[in-house]
C-alpha cells in the first residue's frame, strides 16, 4: 500500500463540497484537502466538483459527486464513542440537524449517512460477565433513542 490506513469514499449526488464542509466543521482534528473537478471527458459537467478530500476527527475521507445511482443506508454506519453526556449531546444535535433520530443511539445525518453516537464504555457494560447487569443495560439501551449516560449507568448499577 502506498499510504497508511484506509480512506473512506462517500458517494454524494452533488453535495460533496457541502458534506465535506459540514463534517470538518463538526469534528475536531479536521481539515479540507484537495478538490478535484470533472474535465471535458465527463461524466459530470466540466469544471464541476468531482471529489473533495477531507479529514474528520483524524480519519481520511473522499467525498465523490457520483450522481443519484447510489444512496446511503444503515448497512454501513460510523460509530462515534463519546466521553460524556455533553460530548454526546453536541454530536447528536449537530448530526441530526436536517437529519433524523432513529433508535438505540442511531441517527441519519442530512446527507443520509448513518451514525451510532455511543457512550464510551457501553459495549463493555453490554457484555458484562454478570448477566443481570448486562440485561439491565440492554433493556435500558433498547428503550432509548438518544443515549442517556446517567440512565445507562443507573441501570448498570441496578438503581
Amino acid at each position: 500500500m502506498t499510504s497508511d490506513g484506509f480512506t473512506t469514499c462517500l458517494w454524494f449526488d452533488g453535495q460533496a463540497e457541502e458534506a465535506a464542509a459540514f463534517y470538518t466543521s463538526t469534528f475536531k482534528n479536521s481539515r479540507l484537502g484537495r478538490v478535484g473537478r470533472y474535465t471535458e471527458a465527463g461524466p459530470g459537467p466540466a469544471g464541476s466538483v468531482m471529489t473533495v478530500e477531507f479529514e474528520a476527527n483524524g480519519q481520511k475521507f473522499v467525498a465523490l459527486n457520483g450522481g443519484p445511482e447510489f444512496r446511503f443506508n444503515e448497512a454501513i454506519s460510523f460509530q462515534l464513542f463519546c466521553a460524556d453526556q455533553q460530548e454526546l449531546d453536541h454530536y447528536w444535535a449537530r448530526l441530526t440537524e436536517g437529519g433524523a433520530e432513529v433508535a438505540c443511539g442511531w441517527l441519519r445525518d442530512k446527507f443520509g449517512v448513518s451514525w451510532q453516537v455511543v457512550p464510551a464504555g457501553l459495549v463493555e457494560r453490554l457484555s458484562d460477565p454478570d448477566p443481570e447487569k448486562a440485561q439491565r443495560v440492554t433493556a435500558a439501551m433498547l428503550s432509548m433513542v438518544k443515549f442517556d449516560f446517567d440512565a445507562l449507568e443507573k441501570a448498570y448499577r441496578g438503581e
Side-chain angles (χ1 to χ4, degrees), residues 71-142:
R71 300 276 182 223
F72 296 110
N73 66 49
E74 289 76 11
I76 298 288
S77 64
F78 294 104
Q79 291 183 322
L80 180 59
F81 291 94
C82 299
D84 55 36
Q85 190 69 49
Q86 182 179 1
E87 183 180 36
L88 188 145
D89 290 346
H90 164 76
Y91 287 120
W92 189 270
R94 184 77 170 123
L95 292 168
T96 57
E97 289 174 9
E101 296 180 345
V102 181
C104 294
W106 289 64
L107 63 86
R108 273 187 312 279
D109 69 23
K110 63 184 171 181
F111 304 104
V113 176
S114 291
W115 296 84
Q116 297 176 55
V117 185
V118 181
L122 179 61
V123 174
E124 290 79 11
R125 283 173 167 68
L126 291 169
S127 58
D128 192 284
D130 180 336
E132 290 180 13
K133 286 182 176 181
Q135 182 178 356
R136 289 192 308 262
V137 173
T138 300
M141 177 195 73
L142 292 174

Side-chain angles (χ1 to χ4, degrees), residues 7-10 52-56 59-63 78 115:
T7 300
T8 301
C9 182
L10 301 173
V52 179
E53 294 177 352
F54 68 99
E55 287 184 22
Q59 301 294 312
K60 296 181 286 186
F61 293 89
V62 171
F78 294 104
W115 296 84

